[in-house]
Amino acid sequence: MSGLSLSTPVSGAAKRRGRGSFFPRCTRCTLLLALGAVLMAVSFGPVAPIRAGQTTGTPGATPAPASASDRCDVPLQTEVAPVEGASPVASPAATPLATGSETETGTATEVEVAATDLERLARTLAVCLSDEEYETAARLLTPVYRGLLVGTGEELDRETFIEVARSLTATPLTIRSVSNATLERDNRARAEVVSVVANELVRARWTFELVGPDTRRPRNADDEAEPNRRWVVADEEALDVAPPEGAKAVDVTLVEYAIEVDPASLQADAAVLKIHNQGELDHEVVVLRLEGDATIDSLVYQAGPALPEGITFAGQVNVSAGDEASMVLVNLEPGTYALADLSPDAEGVINISRGMAATFTVR
């Protein structure tokens, strides 16, 4: 099998095709994504994760600043006193984050303050989702992004989002860094966010929107001042992600109906799965950690909205026929990990029941 150069960032475009959201997906019953769980019922569907981890040993991982959020609340916009003669913050199409060498104009100050607000929002959202405080999490998202997170592709009101989230099993989301913030027209902003969901390292460009206290209406320049304006997450676009130093390359080959892994044993806490779908059908690869007496076969027989005891979700990617995709896994504890295709074929038969599964060991 061909090797993988770890000096090359993993393609964000491929991950966008395969993942598309932060949440694992179940297509057999509700066509919704789960918060870090693979839903098992009548048939299995593609999964698209949320990710968890720690902040050491990975590019882009920076210690959380002292102001980082450690509780689930609704962070409000930090007000900045206007500077006489400073140009409005909304005037440039995209203003880069101020550096120490730049003049501290009113615009630069507002961008710097906004960058701090965006990081606080991202870290707060991670806390809310990890602690399953979905009422507050819903307020930190636009209706469109709520739909993106649960895989509906449609706008979701708060009540629906909360109901879906509560019915599923949560996996913690850890924010590693928020950087390269820019302010744009129409009270929108962007920033690059590096996170870990389950064991998968992710880098994406998040879009944020400034809204009023209890509305989805963006602020207009001629609006009267409101004391409770806040940023919310509106969208995300996957970016290339650099594997951490020391990550081991693992080739994964998919055919009908088998998964081959090379090597099947590695000594590292991080790995890059380079997945080749050599079959004529679309497939998915769900990575699961097996503990104790748990076996991958239990996925076929146990129904319900949660994983069987002893099995935890680690990552997921969808791979089209004849295509390739990559997944960066971090914080891998020693033990056995399973790779499985939990999606159904055209006849509704789960691919794992046809033998489409394999394991690898982390030493």
Side-chain angles (χ1 to χ4, degrees):
M1 294 184 181
S2 61
L4 171 67
S5 171
L6 296 185
S7 62
T8 304
V10 174
S11 169
K15 296 183 74 63
R16 183 66 172 184
R17 290 195 301 272
R19 183 170 58 88
S21 92
F22 287 121
F23 300 88
R25 176 168 48 190
C26 169
T27 56
R28 55 186 166 150
C29 304
T30 60
L31 296 176
L32 299 178
L33 297 181
L35 285 167
V38 182
L39 300 187
M40 320 295 164
V42 179
S43 63
F44 292 86
V47 180
I50 218 186
R51 336 202 187 247
Q54 50 198 22
T55 60
T56 59
T58 300
T62 56
S67 60
S69 175
D70 59 0
R71 64 183 185 276
C72 179
D73 57 14
V74 178
L76 304 181
Q77 180 193 22
T78 302
E79 296 294 333
V80 179
V83 177
E84 184 176 353
S87 58
V89 69
S91 58
T95 306
L97 177 63
T99 65
S101 61
E102 292 179 335
T103 303
E104 181 117 345
T105 64
T107 298
T109 300
E110 290 199 27
V111 174
E112 186 171 2
V113 170
T116 301
D117 285 352
L118 299 181
E119 178 167 8
R120 185 169 67 248
L121 169 59
R123 295 187 182 278
T124 298
L125 178 60
V127 171
C128 293
L129 292 175
S130 299
D131 292 347
E132 302 180 58
E133 297 187 29
Y134 303 123
E135 295 88 346
T136 303
R139 297 189 63 197
L140 306 180
L141 311 169
T142 64
V144 170
Y145 199 67
R146 292 184 204 129
L148 177 64
L149 288 185
V150 297
T152 65
E154 301 176 353
E155 294 187 9
L156 283 186
D157 57 41
R158 291 184 193 173
E159 291 72 21
T160 302
F161 174 82
I162 293 168
E163 181 180 1
V164 172
R166 282 177 174 169
S167 69
L168 305 172
T169 303
T171 294
L173 162 67
T174 297
I175 301 296
R176 292 200 166 185
S177 66
V178 180
S179 61
N180 297 328
T182 61
L183 283 175
E184 303 182 350
R185 297 182 185 275
D186 301 323
N187 294 291
R188 295 173 71 85
R190 299 180 192 273
E192 293 181 13
V193 180
V194 176
S195 62
V196 184
V197 183
N199 293 92
E200 188 175 354
L201 182 67
V202 178
R203 175 171 167 259
R205 180 177 293 107
W206 288 17
T207 300
F208 303 84
E209 183 179 290
L210 192 60
V211 300
D214 292 302
T215 72
R216 310 322 308 173
R217 177 178 57 84
R219 181 180 68 173
N220 295 319
D222 57 353
D223 282 348
E224 295 183 1
E226 298 178 13
N228 293 326
R229 288 206 172 93
R230 64 185 187 280
W231 291 102
V232 294
V233 184
D235 197 4
E236 62 96 5
E237 174 190 1
L239 302 173
D240 292 352
V241 59
E245 184 178 356
K248 300 299 184 181
V250 178
D251 279 316
V252 179
T253 303
L254 311 178
V255 296
E256 284 81 48
Y257 288 91
I259 299 178
E260 298 179 3
V261 182
D262 183 25
S265 178
L266 59 138
Q267 187 170 359
D269 63 357
V272 181
L273 305 188
K274 182 67 174 182
I275 305 165
H276 315 258
N277 186 352
Q278 297 181 358
E280 297 181 354
L281 302 174
D282 296 347
H283 290 289
E284 71 171 0
V285 173
V286 181
V287 183
L288 302 164
R289 176 171 164 77
L290 307 181
E291 301 181 19
D293 297 329
T295 66
I296 196 67
D297 292 339
S298 61
L299 293 172
V300 178
Y301 303 111
Q302 175 171 314
L307 289 169
E309 184 177 357
I311 299 181
T312 55
F313 177 79
Q316 181 272 346
V317 67
N318 297 332
V319 192
S320 300
D323 203 353
E324 298 181 353
S326 296
M327 183 191 312
V328 180
L329 299 175
V330 297
N331 307 322
L332 294 173
E333 298 181 3
T336 301
Y337 292 79
L339 306 179
D341 185 352
L342 303 181
S343 61
D345 63 13
E347 299 176 353
V349 178
I350 307 166
N351 286 327
I352 187 177
S353 68
R354 296 182 180 271
M356 203 158 183
T359 61
F360 68 93
T361 303
V362 175
R363 296 177 280 115

